Amino acid sequence: MVRRATGSRPAGREAVRGARRPEVRLPPLEPWTEGELAPDGDYDGLEFRECDLAGQDGAGARFMDCALTGCAVDETALGRARVLDSVLTGLRGVGTRLAEATLRDVELVDARLGGTQLHGAVLERVVIRGGKIDYLNLREARLKDVVFESCVLVEPDFAGARLERVEFTDCALKGADFGGATLTDVDLRGAAPLEITRGLDRLSGAVISTGQLLDLAPVLAAAMGIRVEG
């Protein structure tokens, strides 16, 4: 595997430090032929293609230089798993359990997920591109150099999370919860719509556009107890 992390700083976005994106280049892969995942399993240089992993237990497993393509991950148990230098494409499922997992140098592409549990997880140099994720639970997670790009996030939960160099690019952010979160160099300007239901007081360290400020003005006023009349 050869990977180079690159800085991302599009024109007009100098106000914040851009996220470093992973460039994952996988080696020749061997097809995965086992029947089921194993807790604390070690998976290196494997291709999981159109596998039904629903309900399987891979808690604590390590995935290194792997490709998961078109796999079903309904209720798959992957708590404390480590996913490193890997590409995940077209994953689909509800209730995937990744609490306290580590994702480093990972590309997640065109996922269709619901209720994914990533609370307490660590995401570093991760790109989430395309697809739709409903009710993503990132409570108390740590995100560093993470890019959400051309995807739809419905009611994502960032409560208590720490976000550093996180970008939302051409991304729909609906009903987000930032309650108790800590933001550093978080670029929200590419989020359309930008809907925040909780945690407006935690947006110090983020940058938004003038248009987004106007859209958020009624919610900001309500949060500050300001009555707007006339």
Side-chain angles (χ1 to χ4, degrees):
M1 186 285 303
V2 178
R3 175 194 52 75
R4 184 176 69 254
T6 60
S8 172
R9 190 177 295 228
R13 298 201 172 190
E14 296 82 359
V16 292
R17 292 181 298 162
R20 295 184 298 161
R21 295 174 177 243
E23 290 188 2
V24 183
R25 299 175 184 173
L26 296 174
L29 302 177
E30 296 290 332
W32 184 67
T33 57
E34 301 297 325
E36 292 193 0
L37 298 175
D40 300 313
D42 197 355
Y43 305 101
D44 196 340
L46 296 174
E47 180 180 32
F48 297 76
R49 180 171 290 275
E50 305 293 338
C51 296
D52 185 358
L53 306 177
Q56 296 189 20
D57 186 357
R62 171 183 172 272
F63 298 84
M64 176 76 178
D65 289 338
C66 287
L68 280 73
T69 304
C71 295
V73 289
D74 299 271
E75 300 289 345
T76 305
L78 293 167
R80 302 182 311 282
R82 290 176 294 157
V83 184
L84 313 171
D85 300 297
S86 296
V87 178
L88 319 177
T89 305
L91 298 188
R92 62 191 187 280
V94 175
T96 310
R97 289 173 279 169
L98 283 154
E100 300 181 1
T102 296
L103 280 67
R104 182 176 296 119
D105 297 308
V106 168
E107 297 179 10
L108 175 62
V109 182
D110 293 333
R112 296 283 176 174
L113 300 171
T116 303
Q117 301 299 311
L118 274 161
H119 51 278
V122 175
L123 284 68
E124 185 171 355
R125 293 188 301 275
V126 174
V127 172
I128 299 174
R129 181 186 304 112
K132 182 182 180 185
I133 306 178
D134 297 323
Y135 313 114
L136 176 62
N137 184 350
L138 283 163
R139 296 177 71 90
E140 305 291 340
R142 289 183 290 154
L143 289 73
K144 185 175 182 179
D145 294 310
V146 175
V147 178
F148 295 93
E149 181 177 270
S150 302
C151 59
V152 177
L153 302 178
V154 178
E155 297 190 26
D157 189 348
F158 296 99
R162 287 186 286 165
L163 289 73
E164 181 179 356
R165 293 197 299 268
V166 175
E167 298 179 14
F168 296 84
T169 303
D170 189 27
C171 177
L173 195 58
K174 302 180 179 181
D177 183 350
F178 286 100
T182 301
L183 279 58
T184 304
D185 291 311
V186 174
D187 196 337
L188 292 163
R189 288 175 290 180
L194 173 60
E195 300 173 1
I196 299 174
T197 58
R198 183 169 172 265
L200 286 166
D201 60 327
R202 307 298 298 187
L203 294 186
S204 175
V207 60
I208 63 176
S209 69
T210 302
Q212 289 171 325
L213 176 59
L214 294 174
D215 291 338
L216 289 172
V219 185
L220 285 166
M224 297 174 65
I226 300 173
R227 188 171 61 190
V228 180
E229 297 180 357

